[in-house]
Amino acid sequence: MQTHNEIKTSARLVLWTFAWVATLALAKFGPQLLWDTPQKVAGWAAVAVNLAVGIGWIVAFTRFLRALDELQRKILQDALAVTLGVGWILGFAYVVTDDAGLVARDVDIAVLPALMGVVFVVVFVVGKIRYR
């Protein structure tokens, strides 16, 4: 059963996550939909807001980790470690193969965080089952 503090930090993390996604969408799509692309000040302002909210998200995530019990923290940290390793190894492997001219077509960089998300969920679920 979750404690009141765990629920509170989880809710804050969810809110910070939605805020970060919203500011990322603003920075990404704002130049095409809300203001003219040549308006660099608006673009830089959107990026700055996204970075500031991202820092808030990091703080919220850190507080969330501290609120978890030891087993939940271990499962989450194991999943994060594997995810970081996969992202690091595949990211650099792609850079090397691209620089060597071995990649036939450009791969959208958004594939990497999407793959990392899938890896995280799979490893997290495996950890939950393993420590059941």
Side-chain angles (χ1 to χ4, degrees):
M1 173 131 179
Q2 287 187 324
T3 66
H4 176 68
N5 192 35
E6 287 176 349
I7 294 169
K8 191 166 107 175
T9 58
S10 296
R12 283 188 180 151
L13 181 59
V14 167
L15 292 175
W16 276 104
T17 301
F18 285 142
W20 179 77
V21 169
T23 61
L24 182 63
L26 178 67
K28 169 68 174 148
F29 300 114
Q32 293 111 6
L33 302 175
L34 301 176
W35 60 83
D36 294 328
T37 303
Q39 293 183 7
K40 300 228 184 265
V41 173
W44 279 111
V47 170
V49 168
N50 178 251
L51 288 172
V53 172
I55 291 168
W57 181 89
I58 292 168
V59 171
F61 186 73
T62 303
R63 289 179 179 159
F64 169 75
L65 280 176
R66 283 191 213 126
L68 294 176
D69 67 36
E70 290 178 22
L71 181 58
Q72 289 175 322
R73 192 177 311 126
K74 179 178 178 16
I75 292 168
L76 186 61
Q77 287 176 332
D78 287 351
L80 289 170
V82 171
T83 302
L84 175 64
V86 167
W88 197 254
I89 299 302
L90 291 181
F92 279 103
Y94 175 76
V95 168
V96 170
T97 56
D98 189 40
D99 286 346
L102 300 173
V103 179
R105 61 184 173 96
D106 285 336
V107 177
D108 188 3
I109 192 62
V111 170
L112 184 60
L115 176 65
M116 289 172 67
V118 170
V119 168
F120 174 79
V121 169
V122 168
V123 175
F124 183 78
V125 168
V126 167
K128 283 287 211 182
I129 292 169
R130 185 169 134 204
Y131 291 107
R132 189 178 279 183

